[in-house]
Amino acid sequence: MTTVITEPRSQVRAWLGVAAITASLFVFVTTELMPVGLLTPVSAGLSVSVGLAGMMVTLYGVSAGVGVPFLVAWSRTVNRRALLATLLAIMAAGNLVTAVSPNFPIVLAARLVTGFAHGVFWAIGVAMAMRLVPGEKASKAAAVVLSGMSIATVVGMPLGTFIESLTDWRTTFLIWSGLSLVVLLAVVLTLPSLPSQSAIPVREVFALPVRNGRLRVVMITVALYVLGHFGAYTFIRPFMEQRAGASAAWVTGLLIVFGVGGAVGNFVAGHTAGKNMRATFVVACSGLVASLLLLLAIGGSPAGLAVAVVLWGVSFGAANLCQVNMMLAAAPDTFEAAMSLNTMGYNISIALGALLGGLFAGGFGTAGAVWFGVALTVIALLTAFAAHAGKEAHP
């Protein structure tokens, strides 16, 4: 009798823990992407150019990417529940400092520190969720956690833009600081003790792509499409405002549309990637190229802008789901290490994409950032297609 009652209760608590980790991802991803929707007011409020304001994304990505393999390896003996709680506390402090900062250098310093926390979460979060549930439910738990990224895109970033339109950008970051503390409390209350497992030293982490050709190809492909996407996406608000005369409300609506498209892309790819993951990724990359070209061709009208954004969101959502699965499939026995490399490559690409997109935007206008995105996603498409064709030729 006791077993019958306890088992459902333990399962409920396990899934509550998964939900808390999903909420953590929501907070981290929203904090990372928040400046995309707030570039214009932040640049005006701190008296810097839009291109320079894009460094809020760049430095966050640098620290999230470069630091993660070292931090994960150095913390390999730390209980994962305690580590996640610490990461959320850092996130809350970073958003608070950003909200009250008197100048742009302090904002950049806060973003740099919170980026480190973000990177470590990506390396440990999915693995933590998979440990909370029975083995046969591990994949489902991972999918639930990764949905936090789509929720952040659909709800978090547009909500931040909406809050800014009602108040100001400082209030937006202040609210997210409080939300980080709420999620921290949820983590402490729902997660059991999770001693570190399967973490490896730094030297072994960096040796993985040297020894594993499949992992190496996946990392290159992911870096290319993320460079292209974020080179263009970081400057989507000023592009909308300048090309189509979009209002703050219209920008918010389109960001929501983009997020919904990402969720749809995740859902569709979740069904097709199991049958042919590489082909699904090729199709997703093709959609990224097509959406950016449509943005340049018909993005001057509200209807054309909406069509391009919908396709962009669906394609990016599908590509994101595929790249996580491809990365993990390439190194299934070193889960945290593979995730730390994935985080490093992905976030460095975000940083470089925002930086290079900013250079193109500064030199050629916001359309230059979109053309940069086109070029890199085309190269990613060719790389993915070549890898897919090579696999077909040598099954």
Side-chain angles (χ1 to χ4, degrees):
M1 180 66 70
T2 302
T3 303
V4 174
I5 295 174
T6 302
E7 184 64 23
R9 286 181 179 176
S10 64
Q11 288 187 17
V12 168
R13 182 174 181 184
W15 286 105
L16 286 175
V18 172
I21 296 173
T22 305
S24 301
L25 179 56
F26 169 81
V27 170
F28 281 114
V29 173
T30 304
T31 297
E32 177 181 26
L33 299 181
M34 189 87 74
V36 174
L38 305 180
L39 276 186
T40 303
V42 168
S43 65
L46 295 174
S47 301
V48 297
S49 68
V50 170
L52 186 58
M55 289 295 291
M56 292 176 69
V57 179
T58 300
L59 283 186
Y60 191 105
V62 166
S63 58
V66 174
V68 59
F70 301 95
L71 293 171
V72 171
W74 292 337
S75 63
R76 62 182 181 272
T77 61
V78 178
N79 188 288
R80 273 12 194 176
R81 182 180 67 171
L83 182 57
L84 178 53
T86 302
L87 299 178
L88 287 165
I90 294 171
M91 182 62 58
N95 281 326
L96 177 60
V97 171
T98 300
V100 301
S101 175
N103 56 56
F104 192 60
I106 293 178
V107 168
L108 290 184
R111 297 286 296 177
L112 190 68
V113 173
T114 52
F116 283 121
H118 181 119
V120 175
F121 171 81
W122 265 117
I124 68 170
V126 175
M128 288 175 64
M130 295 176 73
R131 291 173 60 188
L132 292 176
V133 299
E136 67 274 12
K137 300 289 181 65
S139 295
K140 183 178 179 180
V144 170
V145 171
L146 290 174
S147 71
M149 184 164 57
S150 294
I151 297 171
T153 308
V154 174
V155 178
M157 190 175 68
L159 179 59
T161 307
F162 176 69
I163 292 172
E164 185 278 328
S165 69
L166 295 179
T167 56
D168 55 51
W169 65 269
R170 292 183 183 276
T171 302
T172 304
F173 280 102
L174 186 61
I175 290 172
W176 245 254
S177 176
L179 182 60
S180 300
L181 292 177
V182 172
V183 176
L184 166 58
L185 179 61
V187 165
V188 171
L189 292 177
T190 62
L191 263 63
S193 175
L194 290 171
S196 176
Q197 287 184 353
S198 72
I200 60 177
V202 173
R203 183 181 300 176
E204 294 183 33
V205 173
F206 285 104
L208 284 176
V210 177
R211 299 193 301 259
N212 189 331
R214 182 181 178 188
L215 178 63
R216 187 166 59 247
V217 171
V218 172
M219 289 180 65
I220 292 171
T221 306
V222 170
L224 288 169
Y225 96 81
V226 175
L227 274 170
H229 167 77
F230 279 98
Y233 188 66
T234 302
F235 300 93
I236 189 172
R237 177 169 181 167
F239 180 91
M240 292 176 180
E241 292 171 338
Q242 295 170 17
R243 270 296 183 97
S247 65
W250 183 234
V251 170
T252 300
L254 286 177
L255 290 176
I256 292 174
V257 167
F258 181 92
V260 171
V264 172
N266 268 296
F267 178 79
V268 173
H271 288 277
T272 61
K275 300 175 182 177
N276 195 324
M277 185 169 10
R278 289 185 182 272
T280 301
F281 191 69
V282 166
V283 172
C285 282
S286 300
L288 287 174
V289 174
S291 64
L292 293 176
L293 290 174
L294 284 173
L295 193 67
L296 291 164
I298 61 176
S301 69
L305 192 60
V307 169
V309 168
V310 168
L311 179 59
W312 194 358
V314 171
S315 302
F316 184 65
N320 259 345
L321 185 138
C322 290
Q323 64 92 12
V324 171
N325 288 332
M326 289 191 302
M327 187 69 67
L328 295 179
D333 298 326
T334 50
F335 190 81
E336 280 195 359
M339 287 302 294
S340 69
L341 288 174
N342 180 50
T343 302
M344 180 181 70
Y346 198 101
N347 283 282
I348 289 176
S349 297
I350 290 176
L352 290 177
L355 175 62
L356 296 174
L359 294 177
F360 276 84
F364 305 100
T366 52
V370 180
W371 276 115
F372 169 79
V374 171
L376 270 293
T377 50
V378 165
I379 299 173
L381 172 61
L382 295 176
T383 304
F385 185 78
H388 173 63
K391 184 181 179 183
E392 291 297 313
H394 306 282

